[in-house]
Amino acid sequence: MESLLASTDNDQLLPMADYKISGPTASYVTDRQEATFFSNVTEAGPNSVRVATFNVNSDNFIDLNSLHFSFEVQNLSNTGTLDFLSYLPQVLFDRFILTIGGVSCEDILHFNRTSVLFDNFLPSDKRQNNADLGFGTPSRTTGDHTLWQANHIAPSKSRRVVFKPMISGLISGQNKYMPGFALGQQGLQIQLHCAQAADICNTLAGKSTQYVLKDLRVNCNTIMVSSELMNSYSQHLLSGRSFFMPFVSMTTMMHALPGNTDTWDVNINRTFTRLVDVYSHWMKNPTVQEKDVNTFYSPVHASGEDSVKTFISAGDKRFSSFDRHGNAQLLQRLYETLGTTNSFQGVQFNREQFDKDHFTLAYDMEKVGNHASGSGMNLSHGQLLKIHVEGAGKAGTPASEGVIATSDSYVKKAYTTCRYDVILELTSTGASCHS
């Protein structure tokens, strides 16, 4: 061992013994400004203008990591409290569209449900941070059905909320500034589509479902650099070269199921050059408080049988030599896909919640996980992606003497969220997205 260590010849001066002024400096950055951009409408809502559009135009660099939305939610009822089914303001919007220079870069359907899904994967402290920016949490029950409840808005009252679109790969976690000067006249545009109130509110008798969103704005930081550096960027583009910004986007699809069998397939006919991972999350029948936006149904709780089996295939390639079987293994695969298996930081929910209303199937489609970029599965040649499920629920029992009737526990809807690699290319003539 001594000879092996001696042969490495990798001695370095320890940082504790280095007294130079180290670390990168950025004297070329001349200023930073907190910018605000207002929506094209003064108010929006399910019974008002359904789409709010924000144009983020700047000749400087845009720090996308700082981008967040702010608006006021007013309860229009004079008698009923307004209770949303999640503390996240994202619950108000069922579609998110982001375009760069007129080119669609992200279009996320079921934006509210998908936001709640990935918020469920966060640690408690981070979820509380998100809640504090949104509608807040008055209490958390600890019984069989654990939900983080949202604060209600009293009759004729309002609450100002803030949210960051955490599931947008271009905005959340982006490690490059967006060069606003390279986006053309159309710049960066974001559309938020308002969901129907009945889909996102507690619809118990006496509750309000009448509300409006006011003073909608988007806030972000813009970065100014020296004229010399700005000129070099301009010359870079004018010489025919490009700026590249890689990110991971996602899409969510809903598949209606027969609802009378425990075995079914979900077929996804989409083209992905690099598919990163896939999440399958389910729903049965909505109630006044448990709806598609906040419930991730598991048939295990209703049937009492830990019998779910699954595998995913792409074309003629099947992942998993044998079926994944049982919720313990499904939960382990979820941890692996999220990257929390070997981390000290875990998800907030426990096995009991996973078995009831936090159930999610996760499939990691990368060859080497988080160790390299661009290692996702290539589905650009027309391969059909298929999720196969068995043992998801059982039939109900009719009423008989001394026996109370029970309803079936079959899954009625399956949502599929696919995350995939995208490269945004900016040139002097416009933008393009490669996915």
Side-chain angles (χ1 to χ4, degrees), residues 51-65:
V51 181
T53 302
F54 304 85
N55 292 300
V56 182
N57 296 316
S58 174
D59 292 331
N60 300 303
F61 288 94
I62 303 169
D63 181 4
L64 294 176
N65 270 313

PDB file of all heavy atoms in Angstrom, residues 51-65:
ATOM      1  N   VAL A  51     -56.693  32.509 -19.179  1.00  0.00           N
ATOM      2  CA  VAL A  51     -55.256  32.419 -19.479  1.00  0.00           C
ATOM      3  C   VAL A  51     -54.569  33.740 -19.135  1.00  0.00           C
ATOM      4  O   VAL A  51     -54.978  34.801 -19.610  1.00  0.00           O
ATOM      5  CB  VAL A  51     -55.011  32.070 -20.961  1.00  0.00           C
ATOM      6  CG1 VAL A  51     -53.502  31.963 -21.231  1.00  0.00           C
ATOM      7  CG2 VAL A  51     -55.707  30.774 -21.337  1.00  0.00           C
ATOM      8  N   ALA A  52     -53.531  33.648 -18.300  1.00  0.00           N
ATOM      9  CA  ALA A  52     -52.704  34.815 -17.972  1.00  0.00           C
ATOM     10  C   ALA A  52     -51.358  34.659 -18.674  1.00  0.00           C
ATOM     11  O   ALA A  52     -50.693  33.629 -18.540  1.00  0.00           O
ATOM     12  CB  ALA A  52     -52.506  34.929 -16.464  1.00  0.00           C
ATOM     13  N   THR A  53     -50.967  35.678 -19.423  1.00  0.00           N
ATOM     14  CA  THR A  53     -49.729  35.645 -20.200  1.00  0.00           C
ATOM     15  C   THR A  53     -48.739  36.659 -19.631  1.00  0.00           C
ATOM     16  O   THR A  53     -49.101  37.804 -19.332  1.00  0.00           O
ATOM     17  CB  THR A  53     -50.006  35.959 -21.678  1.00  0.00           C
ATOM     18  OG1 THR A  53     -50.951  35.011 -22.199  1.00  0.00           O
ATOM     19  CG2 THR A  53     -48.728  35.880 -22.498  1.00  0.00           C
ATOM     20  N   PHE A  54     -47.492  36.220 -19.497  1.00  0.00           N
ATOM     21  CA  PHE A  54     -46.423  37.076 -18.977  1.00  0.00           C
ATOM     22  C   PHE A  54     -45.308  37.145 -20.018  1.00  0.00           C
ATOM     23  O   PHE A  54     -44.796  36.098 -20.453  1.00  0.00           O
ATOM     24  CB  PHE A  54     -45.860  36.523 -17.671  1.00  0.00           C
ATOM     25  CG  PHE A  54     -46.895  36.317 -16.593  1.00  0.00           C
ATOM     26  CD1 PHE A  54     -47.638  35.144 -16.546  1.00  0.00           C
ATOM     27  CD2 PHE A  54     -47.123  37.287 -15.631  1.00  0.00           C
ATOM     28  CE1 PHE A  54     -48.581  34.942 -15.555  1.00  0.00           C
ATOM     29  CE2 PHE A  54     -48.061  37.094 -14.638  1.00  0.00           C
ATOM     30  CZ  PHE A  54     -48.806  35.925 -14.597  1.00  0.00           C
ATOM     31  N   ASN A  55     -44.917  38.337 -20.397  1.00  0.00           N
ATOM     32  CA  ASN A  55     -43.799  38.542 -21.317  1.00  0.00           C
ATOM     33  C   ASN A  55     -42.598  39.064 -20.536  1.00  0.00           C
ATOM     34  O   ASN A  55     -42.640  40.176 -19.993  1.00  0.00           O
ATOM     35  CB  ASN A  55     -44.195  39.523 -22.423  1.00  0.00           C
ATOM     36  CG  ASN A  55     -45.247  38.952 -23.354  1.00  0.00           C
ATOM     37  OD1 ASN A  55     -45.028  37.936 -24.002  1.00  0.00           O
ATOM     38  ND2 ASN A  55     -46.406  39.589 -23.410  1.00  0.00           N
ATOM     39  N   VAL A  56     -41.564  38.246 -20.476  1.00  0.00           N
ATOM     40  CA  VAL A  56     -40.351  38.605 -19.736  1.00  0.00           C
ATOM     41  C   VAL A  56     -39.301  39.029 -20.756  1.00  0.00           C
ATOM     42  O   VAL A  56     -38.620  38.192 -21.353  1.00  0.00           O
ATOM     43  CB  VAL A  56     -39.856  37.411 -18.886  1.00  0.00           C
ATOM     44  CG1 VAL A  56     -38.627  37.806 -18.085  1.00  0.00           C
ATOM     45  CG2 VAL A  56     -40.964  36.913 -17.966  1.00  0.00           C
ATOM     46  N   ASN A  57     -39.203  40.321 -20.979  1.00  0.00           N
ATOM     47  CA  ASN A  57     -38.294  40.861 -21.989  1.00  0.00           C
ATOM     48  C   ASN A  57     -37.220  41.718 -21.329  1.00  0.00           C
ATOM     49  O   ASN A  57     -37.525  42.606 -20.532  1.00  0.00           O
ATOM     50  CB  ASN A  57     -39.071  41.699 -23.009  1.00  0.00           C
ATOM     51  CG  ASN A  57     -40.060  40.871 -23.807  1.00  0.00           C
ATOM     52  OD1 ASN A  57     -39.735  39.780 -24.245  1.00  0.00           O
ATOM     53  ND2 ASN A  57     -41.273  41.387 -23.990  1.00  0.00           N
ATOM     54  N   SER A  58     -35.982  41.431 -21.651  1.00  0.00           N
ATOM     55  CA  SER A  58     -34.863  42.192 -21.104  1.00  0.00           C
ATOM     56  C   SER A  58     -33.691  42.107 -22.063  1.00  0.00           C
ATOM     57  O   SER A  58     -33.496  41.096 -22.750  1.00  0.00           O
ATOM     58  CB  SER A  58     -34.463  41.633 -19.735  1.00  0.00           C
ATOM     59  OG  SER A  58     -33.299  42.270 -19.246  1.00  0.00           O
ATOM     60  N   ASP A  59     -32.905  43.160 -22.128  1.00  0.00           N
ATOM     61  CA  ASP A  59     -31.686  43.162 -22.939  1.00  0.00           C
ATOM     62  C   ASP A  59     -30.489  42.624 -22.164  1.00  0.00           C
ATOM     63  O   ASP A  59     -29.380  42.571 -22.696  1.00  0.00           O
ATOM     64  CB  ASP A  59     -31.381  44.585 -23.427  1.00  0.00           C
ATOM     65  CG  ASP A  59     -32.418  45.081 -24.427  1.00  0.00           C
ATOM     66  OD1 ASP A  59     -33.002  44.235 -25.129  1.00  0.00           O
ATOM     67  OD2 ASP A  59     -32.640  46.307 -24.488  1.00  0.00           O
ATOM     68  N   ASN A  60     -30.730  42.245 -20.910  1.00  0.00           N
ATOM     69  CA  ASN A  60     -29.656  41.736 -20.065  1.00  0.00           C
ATOM     70  C   ASN A  60     -29.823  40.239 -19.854  1.00  0.00           C
ATOM     71  O   ASN A  60     -30.689  39.590 -20.454  1.00  0.00           O
ATOM     72  CB  ASN A  60     -29.664  42.486 -18.733  1.00  0.00           C
ATOM     73  CG  ASN A  60     -29.467  43.975 -18.905  1.00  0.00           C
ATOM     74  OD1 ASN A  60     -28.480  44.418 -19.482  1.00  0.00           O
ATOM     75  ND2 ASN A  60     -30.423  44.766 -18.405  1.00  0.00           N
ATOM     76  N   PHE A  61     -29.014  39.673 -18.984  1.00  0.00           N
ATOM     77  CA  PHE A  61     -29.156  38.263 -18.636  1.00  0.00           C
ATOM     78  C   PHE A  61     -30.274  38.105 -17.605  1.00  0.00           C
ATOM     79  O   PHE A  61     -30.413  38.923 -16.689  1.00  0.00           O
ATOM     80  CB  PHE A  61     -27.849  37.712 -18.061  1.00  0.00           C
ATOM     81  CG  PHE A  61     -26.758  37.551 -19.097  1.00  0.00           C
ATOM     82  CD1 PHE A  61     -25.820  38.553 -19.299  1.00  0.00           C
ATOM     83  CD2 PHE A  61     -26.685  36.396 -19.856  1.00  0.00           C
ATOM     84  CE1 PHE A  61     -24.830  38.411 -20.239  1.00  0.00           C
ATOM     85  CE2 PHE A  61     -25.689  36.236 -20.813  1.00  0.00           C
ATOM     86  CZ  PHE A  61     -24.756  37.251 -20.999  1.00  0.00           C
ATOM     87  N   ILE A  62     -31.068  37.054 -17.744  1.00  0.00           N
ATOM     88  CA  ILE A  62     -32.182  36.778 -16.838  1.00  0.00           C
ATOM     89  C   ILE A  62     -31.809  35.586 -15.965  1.00  0.00           C
ATOM     90  O   ILE A  62     -31.473  34.513 -16.476  1.00  0.00           O
ATOM     91  CB  ILE A  62     -33.473  36.473 -17.621  1.00  0.00           C
ATOM     92  CG1 ILE A  62     -33.815  37.638 -18.562  1.00  0.00           C
ATOM     93  CG2 ILE A  62     -34.628  36.195 -16.668  1.00  0.00           C
ATOM     94  CD1 ILE A  62     -34.910  37.310 -19.568  1.00  0.00           C
ATOM     95  N   ASP A  63     -31.847  35.793 -14.661  1.00  0.00           N
ATOM     96  CA  ASP A  63     -31.560  34.713 -13.717  1.00  0.00           C
ATOM     97  C   ASP A  63     -32.848  33.911 -13.519  1.00  0.00           C
ATOM     98  O   ASP A  63     -33.714  34.277 -12.724  1.00  0.00           O
ATOM     99  CB  ASP A  63     -31.067  35.290 -12.387  1.00  0.00           C
ATOM    100  CG  ASP A  63     -30.734  34.204 -11.379  1.00  0.00           C
ATOM    101  OD1 ASP A  63     -30.818  33.007 -11.723  1.00  0.00           O
ATOM    102  OD2 ASP A  63     -30.417  34.552 -10.227  1.00  0.00           O
ATOM    103  N   LEU A  64     -32.974  32.812 -14.237  1.00  0.00           N
ATOM    104  CA  LEU A  64     -34.216  32.029 -14.199  1.00  0.00           C
ATOM    105  C   LEU A  64     -34.456  31.394 -12.837  1.00  0.00           C
ATOM    106  O   LEU A  64     -35.603  31.141 -12.457  1.00  0.00           O
ATOM    107  CB  LEU A  64     -34.184  30.949 -15.287  1.00  0.00           C
ATOM    108  CG  LEU A  64     -34.186  31.470 -16.731  1.00  0.00           C
ATOM    109  CD1 LEU A  64     -34.053  30.316 -17.718  1.00  0.00           C
ATOM    110  CD2 LEU A  64     -35.447  32.265 -17.030  1.00  0.00           C
ATOM    111  N   ASN A  65     -33.380  31.133 -12.103  1.00  0.00           N
ATOM    112  CA  ASN A  65     -33.550  30.533 -10.776  1.00  0.00           C
ATOM    113  C   ASN A  65     -34.273  31.461  -9.811  1.00  0.00           C
ATOM    114  O   ASN A  65     -34.814  31.008  -8.801  1.00  0.00           O
ATOM    115  CB  ASN A  65     -32.187  30.148 -10.186  1.00  0.00           C
ATOM    116  CG  ASN A  65     -31.797  28.735 -10.566  1.00  0.00           C
ATOM    117  OD1 ASN A  65     -32.596  27.816 -10.466  1.00  0.00           O
ATOM    118  ND2 ASN A  65     -30.572  28.565 -11.019  1.00  0.00           N
TER     119      ASN A  65
END
